[in-house]
Amino acid sequence: MRSERHKGKKKRRWRSILLVFLLLVCAGIGYSYFQYKQGVNQSLKKMDQNPSKVVYSFEGQKDQYGDTNILMLGSDARGKEKSRSDTIMIAHFNEDKGTFKLTSIMRDSYLEIPGHGKHKINAAFALGGPELMRQTIKQNFDIDLQYYAIVDFQGFVQLIDEAFPNGVEIDVEKEMKKNIGVKLEPGLQRLNGKQLLGYVRFRHDAMSDFGRVERQQKTIKAIKDQLSGLQTIAKLPKLIGVVSPYVNTNMKTSDVLFMAKDFLSEKRGTIDTFRIPVENSFTEPRVQGEGLVLDIDVEKNKEALHQFITK
């Protein structure tokens, strides 16, 4: 009898623990959803109108190395299919290895676009949306892309201002002001969203787009380093909500949250970056109808990209 009563108490105790655990999980999910919706509504109030997003077809999959690759396109013209992509990046995520890598493809790279002949790669988006950009990258570099994310630059501004109330610390290497909407002085300083957007878009110097790509990668590393930690992870649902109205993507919010949490984990270390074209693999001829282009050695760049992904 005493043994049966003891077993009954133990069983009830475990039921109570399980119930409390389930309640905490439900509360956590509810709080995360509330934070996410709060972020969405916060951004919608700042927009002139609710965004109408183009629905794209995208036949992506994981690559041959097991990476989840996300095609990231930056544009000023959210939802307009005919705009060229201003920024072209591939985020490489390998869950098993716990690695995050980032490849930037310079927009003037002169490549074969399936069904359209040779053009600057940023024309692929205007000609056929993210799916044609995926096909172009696959044909030239033999890498599959599973997801896409088209980001309006104003979403970047809102995200930075929400995540960094005091700004992102960046060492500005020179005075910058032409065609970026702000004036930046040289030196180590904290930049708000508008200033940081100007910094990553500046290209009116001797380095042109090469300098801009370098600054974009430098900024992403700085954001990752300064966002890492448990406090930031707790804010993730709201941050994703803030940027969500400005992003057109085929990723589920739960997948974005999972990858973002992993990306910001202090155990994951730094993010490795890569640029196409690599050094000594291109010429810069002028092509009729295109202007100056980067005529790249495709095989050399393909080999270098695969080495970067697998190392």
Side-chain angles (χ1 to χ4, degrees):
M1 289 288 292
R2 189 176 299 174
S3 176
E4 289 178 0
R5 286 199 300 271
H6 178 72
K7 288 181 180 178
K9 288 181 180 179
K10 190 174 181 180
K11 194 172 183 180
R12 287 193 296 272
R13 185 169 71 247
W14 279 109
R15 283 178 178 171
S16 298
I17 293 172
L18 180 60
L19 180 61
V20 170
F21 175 75
L22 290 174
L23 287 172
L24 288 173
V25 169
C26 291
I29 293 173
Y31 178 75
S32 295
Y33 180 74
F34 171 76
Q35 288 289 304
Y36 170 77
K37 293 299 291 184
Q38 189 178 51
V40 170
N41 292 332
Q42 179 176 309
S43 287
L44 289 177
K45 288 178 182 177
K46 295 180 180 180
M47 302 173 81
D48 293 334
Q49 58 185 9
N50 289 356
S52 56
K53 296 177 181 177
V54 177
V55 178
Y56 296 103
S57 63
F58 196 77
E59 300 178 10
Q61 58 186 3
K62 285 190 175 184
D63 69 21
Q64 59 267 51
Y65 306 115
D67 283 7
T68 297
N69 295 320
I70 306 165
L71 173 64
M72 304 194 323
L73 304 171
S75 175
D76 268 335
R78 182 182 64 255
K80 295 180 181 178
E81 189 170 355
K82 295 302 180 183
S83 63
R84 289 195 174 202
S85 48
D86 194 62
T87 299
I88 305 166
M89 292 182 173
I90 305 171
H92 312 272
F93 170 57
N94 190 300
E95 184 180 356
D96 294 333
K97 295 179 182 178
T99 57
F100 288 89
K101 299 180 180 183
L102 185 70
T103 295
S104 297
I105 303 178
M106 295 189 65
R107 64 181 187 171
D108 291 341
S109 298
Y110 194 54
L111 297 168
E112 191 73 31
I113 297 177
H116 297 275
K118 292 194 77 170
H119 295 276
K120 292 180 180 180
I121 190 173
N122 68 339
F125 180 65
L127 293 168
E131 171 59 16
L132 185 57
M133 182 69 80
R134 183 196 69 79
Q135 293 176 20
T136 301
I137 292 171
K138 171 66 176 176
Q139 176 173 303
N140 288 276
F141 305 113
D142 191 28
I143 288 295
D144 284 304
L145 309 172
Q146 188 170 4
Y147 300 111
Y148 71 85
I150 306 166
V151 184
D152 182 272
F153 289 129
Q154 283 307 307
F156 175 83
V157 172
Q158 298 302 324
L159 177 65
I160 295 302
D161 286 343
E162 179 65 32
F164 298 95
N166 298 318
V168 177
E169 187 174 82
I170 288 286
D171 188 4
V172 179
E173 56 268 29
K174 65 186 74 176
E175 181 185 278
M176 302 177 186
K177 60 182 180 179
K178 189 174 180 180
N179 294 344
I180 60 173
V182 294
K183 182 179 180 181
L184 302 177
E185 301 293 343
L188 185 65
Q189 56 202 284
R190 290 188 172 275
L191 303 182
N192 62 27
K194 184 177 181 180
Q195 292 168 329
L196 194 60
L197 177 62
Y199 177 75
V200 300
R201 298 197 71 190
F202 179 77
R203 63 187 184 93
H204 293 278
D205 60 6
M207 292 294 291
S208 188
D209 270 350
F210 288 93
R212 183 172 68 163
V213 166
E214 186 177 310
R215 281 187 288 275
Q216 289 172 350
Q217 294 184 342
K218 171 184 172 181
T219 298
I220 288 175
K221 287 181 177 181
I223 290 171
K224 189 247 188 286
D225 292 342
Q226 295 173 44
L227 266 179
S228 295
L230 291 175
Q231 287 184 330
T232 299
I233 290 175
K235 292 171 60 178
L236 272 179
K238 185 175 183 181
L239 294 178
I240 292 172
V242 165
V243 77
S244 181
Y246 297 95
V247 178
N248 187 334
T249 182
N250 63 337
M251 296 182 69
K252 296 179 181 177
T253 302
S254 57
D255 291 334
V256 175
L257 186 61
F258 173 78
M259 290 185 189
K261 178 179 66 65
D262 242 27
F263 175 72
L264 296 174
S265 171
E266 292 177 341
K267 297 178 182 178
R268 293 300 192 184
T270 59
I271 181 170
D272 296 325
T273 57
F274 183 75
R275 188 203 72 203
I276 291 176
V278 296
E279 294 294 333
N280 303 315
S281 72
F282 63 93
T283 58
E284 299 181 74
R286 184 175 295 275
V287 175
Q288 187 174 3
E290 296 278 358
L292 285 174
V293 303
L294 299 176
D295 193 10
I296 76 173
D297 182 330
V298 173
E299 287 301 317
K300 187 173 183 177
N301 279 276
K302 178 169 68 174
E303 182 180 351
L305 175 60
H306 284 250
Q307 287 178 354
F308 168 71
I309 294 173
T310 57
K311 70 179 180 181

